[in-house]
Amino acid sequence: MRNLTLLTDLYQLTMGQGYFTEGKSEQLAAFDVFFRPNKLITYSVAAGLEQAAEYLEDLHFEDEDIAYLRSLGIFREDYLAYLKKLRFTGDVTAVREGEIVFPYEPILTVKAPMIEAQLVETALLTFVNHQTLIASKAAKICAAAGGGVMEFGLRRAQGPDAGIYGARAAIIGGCVGTSNVYAGKLFQVPVSGTMAHSWVMNFPTELEAFRAYAKNFPEGCLLLVDTYDTLKSGVPNAIKVFQELREAGFEPKGIRLDSGDLAYLSKEARKMLDEAGFEKAIICASGDLDENSVRSLKAQGARIDSWGIGTKLITSADMPALGGVYKLAAVFENGVQIPKIKLSNTTEKITNPGLKDVYRIYDGKSGMAIADYITREGEKIDREKPLTIFHPLDVWKKKTLRGFTLRNLRSPLVEKGKRVRESLPLFEIHKYFESEYARFWEEYTRLDMPHIYKVDLSDELHALKKQMVNSFGKGEA
Amino acid sequence: MRNLTLLTDLYQLTMGQGYFTEGKSEQLAAFDVFFRPNKLITYSVAAGLEQAAEYLEDLHFEDEDIAYLRSLGIFREDYLAYLKKLRFTGDVTAVREGEIVFPYEPILTVKAPMIEAQLVETALLTFVNHQTLIASKAAKICAAAGGGVMEFGLRRAQGPDAGIYGARAAIIGGCVGTSNVYAGKLFQVPVSGTMAHSWVMNFPTELEAFRAYAKNFPEGCLLLVDTYDTLKSGVPNAIKVFQELREAGFEPKGIRLDSGDLAYLSKEARKMLDEAGFEKAIICASGDLDENSVRSLKAQGARIDSWGIGTKLITSADMPALGGVYKLAAVFENGVQIPKIKLSNTTEKITNPGLKDVYRIYDGKSGMAIADYITREGEKIDREKPLTIFHPLDVWKKKTLRGFTLRNLRSPLVEKGKRVRESLPLFEIHKYFESEYARFWEEYTRLDMPHIYKVDLSDELHALKKQMVNSFGKGEA
């Protein structure tokens, strides 16, 4: 494992020295990670918390890191000695991986001595922003495809980690496998892939190329049929080899289309395969696809069973950054919480102060999610009484709920620097996402003009926020 | 160093087994890496070759990798034994890092036994696609800013490597530093950063926060002035602290603006600083910037000396993947080159066959770049004779050159599996880019509607391509 302790912005370390010399190094602070609304985000799938926890547990400066920091000529020796001994000793409360989350909700909260809490900001954001982004994109694509999506993007990923952890996030979001062998081994998830155009080009004829491949991989044989002419050459040659395979006692897996009019070609190929008696041979499609092209192909009646999605998934091409932030929510003096707020001229940018809990409210009868509800930490909600929730910005939008169930979305991830949550297999994380997704009305998750799912503030939290905003007057703290 | 040997697509390994059992494992093949035109690419800055060379030198399967591959149940034992001994033994010819490159030009060519050449495709593309993308984006942003750009994007990067190697590429493209401490140490480049809003919020008043910071960092003191009210509170408080610093014998570095109307605020802040006698204090701006917003701010007369660029640089937000490809150019039988071509219904997608050289032609008088010129490998160009170049697709576009100089853009990077090119400090790579950039007329590099720089084929290469396309007739190989 690489030591990623230096994976931080320099200002975390300069501020750290400031807190150190100001005697504030042991002052506890709480920071929330959350993201803001964006028209491309209808819902997000939390991911990257596993790597966040690993990173926090491993946090330590090596001698060479200290030597490097010393070489910058801006740090004091006593502070460097302090850093050498520093470990992460704080607590982290977070949602599960695979949890469906919405803007403004604290996905995770770090409560730690100020220097530690600042130091870990950058890397935590990197892990959570990246993986949540890709898991969410994968979820959209998989919803459009209705299943059978494989992650094929490594060569277009923004570096090795983007490919490796992008594949991880894609599985959480619903992909059934990846082409990335490194990720397959690391996360024990299915890997897939058979041949490239270069294989076909490297034999005198397409038929010989297919035969040579089938000889090597008689089981699960999947042939790439678009190197020369999909319908005149590729599919007929594939059928010839499939017949030979069947005679030898093997059932072929199917074909892959990687170019051309995928709707037309898949329908024609389906007919040809069916007529030849290969009704069970699948048709896999790839080539610059995303949730929109997948949906369009399905609307056109394309007969595609399986999808290889590359560039647009692994980079989340239409929105390549989630933009999650890490904001001070509170400091503690003599054990007493002092809520903090970040003001802004833009109402949506004003933070929610203090330690908080996040609940999901489900309808008592249908079991479907109605709204999320952010409260002050430890606030009691009386389920016997009707609960009036209101829009955090447009407070005239109200709704009174009766007969609901509640779930606290967050639980401890790290306590006193040690992780306290077990690591789950990726497919289990995905299954969790799926079970939760089923509790959302389609109106909230659909791609086009979804209803905005409500994330409301409790009366108590809203009152605190209002009071803090008002007391700052024109923004002077 | 992580062993990235498994950082490949599964089909490279299945094809490998195919070549192994077909007795083609020792057959030499040559593959080119190049990218296709895209309206956002006027020119690109090659990067990632250093990591490509490191990866090739280190290529080897560990026992646990072999055990993992065995567990997939699709590989033969004799092939796994072959893989266990496999090292990269081939040659790689490539452009320098920092070289300006254009669509269709083979940035690098791998010549190696087929199995090795396929195995390394994915990772080579990952390194070169990612870093070339970010170096090119950085070059655009730095050209718009005219210098003083710092890379600030780690928290929004697509995983740790995207931040680390993205920072590397950003320096090659022209950034003067990064906020990323890990990258600063690894690549020995300047790191920068002073304070976040949380620092200011964590003191009773802004003035106290600034004072505490200045006490800790009297040298190079740069204060973030937009936490509460930039002009009414931030700048006046900064000036107060700057005066105290000056009395103590220190010159302040300047201020940073991270929100609001950066054009207006920077002009007003400049006046206030100048009036207070801090003409040399710089104004740094940050906050969701890219080449377009930088250019717009400069056109509005913003007084910004230094730029912190995050998300849109580190993800190349408007085009988050370069889309470079790796295509078979030739195979060798008994030492004889057999050129290979990939056909397509789309003319631009037809590859250039065979081994090739890439030259840049400079005007003999001005020394400025006129065109790039792709030839068959080893083709002689007689500089005494006029050279007629023509557009590779629109062949009626011709130009006859006299009195030019030539430069072969490529040289050996790896020979027989060992790298033969020395590793250069990043700023030297950047300096090389800059010196080459100066040899391009602005018409080719400007952001808006640039002239398309010519990349032409030699008569010989063009004749070969034409002949191969024609002989394939309707595309049957």
Side-chain angles (χ1 to χ4, degrees):
Chain A
M1 194 164 134
R2 283 178 297 176
N3 181 353
L4 295 176
T5 304
L6 288 188
L7 195 74
T8 190
D9 291 305
L10 182 68
Y11 74 10
Q12 314 290 12
L13 290 164
T14 52
M15 288 190 287
Q17 173 162 309
Y19 290 126
F20 179 79
T21 56
E22 294 296 310
K24 285 175 183 257
S25 49
E26 299 311 312
Q27 178 179 42
L28 279 180
F31 286 82
D32 292 328
V33 171
F34 63 93
F35 56 89
R36 300 202 177 100
N38 174 308
K39 69 181 166 44
L40 290 171
I41 302 177
T42 49
Y43 62 96
S44 293
V45 184
L49 296 155
E50 175 79 16
Q51 282 64 42
E54 275 175 14
Y55 157 81
L56 292 173
E57 268 204 332
D58 188 51
L59 196 82
H60 68 284
F61 290 88
E62 306 278 354
D63 287 336
E64 61 172 71
D65 299 332
I66 299 295
Y68 170 69
L69 295 177
R70 181 177 293 118
S71 77
L72 297 177
I74 54 176
F75 295 114
R76 299 163 50 138
E77 280 303 320
D78 53 355
Y79 174 59
L80 293 174
Y82 172 88
L83 288 183
K84 182 69 187 76
K85 286 191 201 146
L86 183 141
R87 297 292 181 274
F88 182 74
T89 62
D91 299 333
V92 178
T93 305
V95 300
R96 299 177 55 151
E97 289 199 296
E99 192 69 85
I100 294 176
V101 291
F102 296 93
Y104 303 122
E105 296 180 347
I107 301 173
L108 73 79
T109 299
V110 171
K111 186 178 167 188
M114 184 60 90
I115 294 182
E116 297 172 27
Q118 283 286 182
L119 179 64
V120 302
E121 168 178 10
T122 312
L124 291 185
L125 285 174
T126 305
F127 294 124
V128 173
N129 272 331
H130 171 230
Q131 290 194 45
T132 302
L133 177 75
I134 305 301
S136 307
K137 182 71 173 177
K140 280 193 209 175
I141 295 172
C142 295
V149 177
M150 289 166 304
E151 185 285 301
F152 274 10
L154 175 55
R155 66 190 57 196
R156 305 288 165 77
Q158 297 193 346
D161 285 337
I164 297 164
Y165 296 100
R168 178 181 193 275
I171 300 281
I172 291 176
C175 288
V176 296
T178 174
S179 65
N180 181 335
V181 185
Y182 191 105
K185 172 170 178 255
L186 189 58
F187 306 120
Q188 292 296 311
V189 292
V191 284
S192 60
T194 58
M195 67 175 66
H197 295 114
S198 59
W199 172 270
V200 181
M201 288 161 69
N202 202 17
F203 286 82
T205 66
E206 190 179 50
L207 186 61
E208 286 168 84
F210 287 178
R211 274 200 184 117
Y213 193 85
K215 193 178 79 185
N216 266 280
F217 298 99
E219 295 196 63
C221 180
L222 191 134
L223 301 169
L224 178 62
V225 296
D226 70 334
T227 304
Y228 303 118
D229 187 312
T230 301
L231 299 179
K232 290 193 182 140
S233 163
V235 179
N237 282 330
I239 287 173
K240 218 170 282 176
V241 172
F242 288 172
Q243 283 160 341
E244 293 165 8
L245 269 174
R246 191 174 273 175
E247 279 161 31
F250 298 98
E251 267 304 295
K253 180 152 180 209
I255 61 172
R256 177 160 73 97
L257 305 170
D258 187 50
S259 62
D261 181 335
L262 296 175
Y264 171 73
L265 294 174
S266 66
K267 285 187 268 190
E268 294 299 311
R270 184 73 270 160
K271 276 187 226 158
M272 294 162 78
L273 288 167
D274 289 353
E275 278 164 21
F278 294 101
E279 293 86 354
K280 285 187 177 161
I282 67 162
I283 298 177
C284 171
S286 53
D288 218 23
L289 300 169
D290 66 3
E291 67 273 27
N292 297 314
S293 46
V294 165
R295 198 166 47 153
S296 161
L297 284 167
K298 289 181 77 95
Q300 293 168 62
R303 299 294 302 273
I304 296 168
D305 309 289
S306 166
W307 309 81
I309 314 273
T311 312
K312 289 180 177 172
L313 166 56
I314 207 69
T315 64
S316 182
D318 55 352
M319 187 181 84
L322 188 62
V325 295
Y326 186 89
K327 295 288 176 191
L328 185 64
V331 295
F332 297 81
E333 279 178 17
N334 306 316
V336 179
Q337 182 194 157
I338 303 166
K340 289 279 176 176
I341 191 166
K342 167 83 173 73
L343 299 179
S344 168
N345 284 329
T346 315
T347 310
E348 298 88 54
K349 285 197 166 184
I350 299 176
T351 61
N352 291 320
L355 292 176
K356 294 169 287 286
D357 287 326
V358 185
Y359 291 94
R360 182 149 298 155
I361 305 174
Y362 301 93
D363 181 61
K365 275 186 194 156
S366 65
M368 300 298 278
I370 305 172
D372 285 1
Y373 190 62
I374 309 179
T375 69
R376 295 201 66 182
E377 190 186 56
E379 224 184 284
K380 289 276 171 290
I381 305 171
D382 187 348
R383 281 183 48 211
E384 302 304 309
K385 288 190 192 157
L387 177 69
T388 299
I389 59 176
F390 57 91
H391 189 283
L393 302 177
D394 304 334
V395 291
W396 52 271
K397 293 188 187 169
K398 290 183 186 187
K399 190 172 183 175
T400 297
L401 307 173
R402 289 181 178 79
F404 52 85
T405 63
L406 276 178
R407 185 169 63 88
N408 187 335
L409 297 190
R410 312 190 328 154
S411 64
L413 173 64
V414 171
E415 281 178 356
K416 294 187 180 159
K418 298 287 163 220
R419 81 189 273 170
V420 292
R421 198 189 281 176
E422 69 172 336
S423 174
L424 295 174
L426 286 189
F427 282 114
E428 217 168 288
I429 298 173
H430 169 66
K431 254 198 236 161
Y432 175 74
F433 159 63
E434 217 172 33
S435 70
E436 186 63 14
Y437 183 81
R439 302 183 77 180
F440 278 81
W441 297 110
E442 202 200 331
E443 285 70 17
Y444 291 126
T445 57
R446 69 187 177 204
L447 291 175
D448 287 328
M449 295 191 291
H451 283 238
I452 302 302
Y453 182 78
K454 291 163 207 64
V455 177
D456 295 335
L457 305 187
S458 72
D459 289 354
E460 220 178 300
L461 178 57
H462 187 258
L464 173 68
K465 185 173 185 175
K466 209 166 133 184
Q467 173 240 311
M468 290 183 75
V469 170
N470 290 338
S471 77
F472 281 129
K474 291 203 75 165
E476 178 59 32
Chain B
M1 195 164 133
R2 283 178 298 176
N3 180 354
L4 295 176
T5 304
L6 288 189
L7 194 75
T8 190
D9 290 305
L10 182 68
Y11 74 8
Q12 314 290 11
L13 290 164
T14 54
M15 288 191 286
Q17 174 162 308
Y19 289 125
F20 179 78
T21 57
E22 293 297 309
K24 285 175 183 256
S25 48
E26 299 311 313
Q27 179 179 41
L28 280 179
F31 286 82
D32 293 328
V33 171
F34 62 94
F35 55 88
R36 300 202 177 99
N38 175 308
K39 68 179 167 44
L40 290 171
I41 303 178
T42 50
Y43 63 95
S44 292
V45 184
L49 296 156
E50 174 80 15
Q51 282 64 42
E54 274 174 16
Y55 157 81
L56 292 173
E57 267 204 331
D58 188 51
L59 196 81
H60 69 283
F61 291 89
E62 306 278 355
D63 286 336
E64 63 172 69
D65 299 332
I66 299 295
Y68 169 69
L69 295 177
R70 182 178 292 116
S71 77
L72 298 177
I74 55 175
F75 295 115
R76 302 162 49 136
E77 280 303 320
D78 52 356
Y79 174 60
L80 292 175
Y82 172 89
L83 288 183
K84 183 68 186 75
K85 285 190 203 149
L86 183 140
R87 298 291 181 277
F88 182 75
T89 62
D91 299 332
V92 178
T93 305
V95 300
R96 298 177 56 152
E97 289 198 295
E99 192 69 86
I100 294 176
V101 291
F102 296 93
Y104 303 122
E105 296 180 346
I107 301 172
L108 73 80
T109 298
V110 172
K111 186 178 167 188
M114 184 60 89
I115 295 182
E116 297 171 26
Q118 283 286 183
L119 179 65
V120 303
E121 168 178 9
T122 312
L124 291 185
L125 284 175
T126 305
F127 294 124
V128 174
N129 273 331
H130 171 230
Q131 290 194 45
T132 302
L133 177 74
I134 305 301
S136 307
K137 182 72 173 176
K140 280 193 210 176
I141 295 172
C142 294
V149 177
M150 288 165 304
E151 185 284 302
F152 273 10
L154 175 56
R155 66 189 57 197
R156 305 288 164 77
Q158 296 193 348
D161 286 336
I164 296 164
Y165 296 100
R168 178 181 193 273
I171 300 282
I172 291 176
C175 288
V176 296
T178 174
S179 66
N180 181 336
V181 185
Y182 191 104
K185 171 169 178 259
L186 189 58
F187 306 121
Q188 291 297 312
V189 291
V191 284
S192 59
T194 57
M195 67 174 67
H197 296 113
S198 58
W199 172 270
V200 181
M201 289 162 68
N202 202 16
F203 285 81
T205 67
E206 191 179 49
L207 185 61
E208 285 169 84
F210 287 177
R211 273 198 184 120
Y213 194 85
K215 191 178 80 186
N216 268 280
F217 299 99
E219 296 196 61
C221 180
L222 191 134
L223 301 169
L224 177 62
V225 295
D226 71 334
T227 305
Y228 303 117
D229 187 313
T230 300
L231 299 179
K232 290 193 183 139
S233 162
V235 179
N237 282 331
I239 287 173
K240 219 171 281 176
V241 173
F242 288 173
Q243 283 160 340
E244 292 164 8
L245 270 173
R246 190 173 273 176
E247 279 161 31
F250 297 100
E251 265 306 294
K253 179 150 182 212
I255 60 172
R256 177 159 75 96
L257 306 170
D258 187 49
S259 61
D261 181 335
L262 296 175
Y264 171 73
L265 294 175
S266 66
K267 285 187 268 190
E268 294 299 311
R270 183 74 270 159
K271 274 187 229 162
M272 293 163 78
L273 288 167
D274 289 352
E275 278 164 22
F278 294 101
E279 293 87 354
K280 285 188 177 162
I282 67 163
I283 299 177
C284 172
S286 53
D288 219 23
L289 299 170
D290 66 3
E291 67 274 30
N292 297 314
S293 46
V294 165
R295 199 167 45 152
S296 162
L297 283 168
K298 288 181 77 95
Q300 292 167 62
R303 298 294 302 274
I304 296 169
D305 308 289
S306 166
W307 309 81
I309 314 273
T311 311
K312 289 180 177 171
L313 166 57
I314 206 69
T315 63
S316 182
D318 55 353
M319 186 180 86
L322 188 63
V325 295
Y326 186 89
K327 294 290 176 190
L328 185 64
V331 295
F332 297 81
E333 279 179 17
N334 306 317
V336 180
Q337 182 193 158
I338 303 167
K340 289 279 176 177
I341 192 166
K342 167 82 174 72
L343 299 178
S344 168
N345 285 328
T346 315
T347 309
E348 298 88 55
K349 285 197 167 183
I350 299 176
T351 62
N352 291 320
L355 293 176
K356 294 168 287 289
D357 286 326
V358 185
Y359 292 94
R360 182 150 298 156
I361 305 174
Y362 301 92
D363 182 62
K365 275 187 195 155
S366 66
M368 300 298 276
I370 306 172
D372 285 2
Y373 190 62
I374 309 179
T375 70
R376 295 201 65 182
E377 190 186 55
E379 226 183 281
K380 289 276 171 291
I381 304 170
D382 187 348
R383 282 182 47 210
E384 302 305 308
K385 288 188 192 160
L387 178 70
T388 299
I389 59 175
F390 56 92
H391 188 282
L393 303 177
D394 304 334
V395 291
W396 52 271
K397 292 187 188 170
K398 291 182 185 186
K399 190 171 183 176
T400 297
L401 307 173
R402 290 181 177 79
F404 52 86
T405 63
L406 276 178
R407 184 168 64 89
N408 187 334
L409 297 189
R410 312 189 329 152
S411 64
L413 173 65
V414 171
E415 281 178 356
K416 294 185 179 161
K418 297 287 162 222
R419 82 190 273 170
V420 293
R421 199 188 281 175
E422 70 172 336
S423 173
L424 295 174
L426 285 188
F427 281 114
E428 217 168 288
I429 299 172
H430 170 66
K431 255 199 234 161
Y432 175 74
F433 159 64
E434 217 172 33
S435 69
E436 187 62 14
Y437 184 81
R439 301 184 77 179
F440 278 80
W441 297 111
E442 202 200 330
E443 286 70 17
Y444 291 125
T445 56
R446 69 186 177 204
L447 290 175
D448 286 328
M449 295 191 290
H451 282 237
I452 302 302
Y453 182 77
K454 291 163 207 63
V455 177
D456 295 335
L457 305 187
S458 73
D459 289 353
E460 222 178 299
L461 179 56
H462 187 257
L464 172 70
K465 185 172 185 176
K466 210 167 135 186
Q467 173 240 313
M468 289 182 76
V469 171
N470 290 338
S471 76
F472 281 128
K474 291 203 74 164
E476 178 57 33

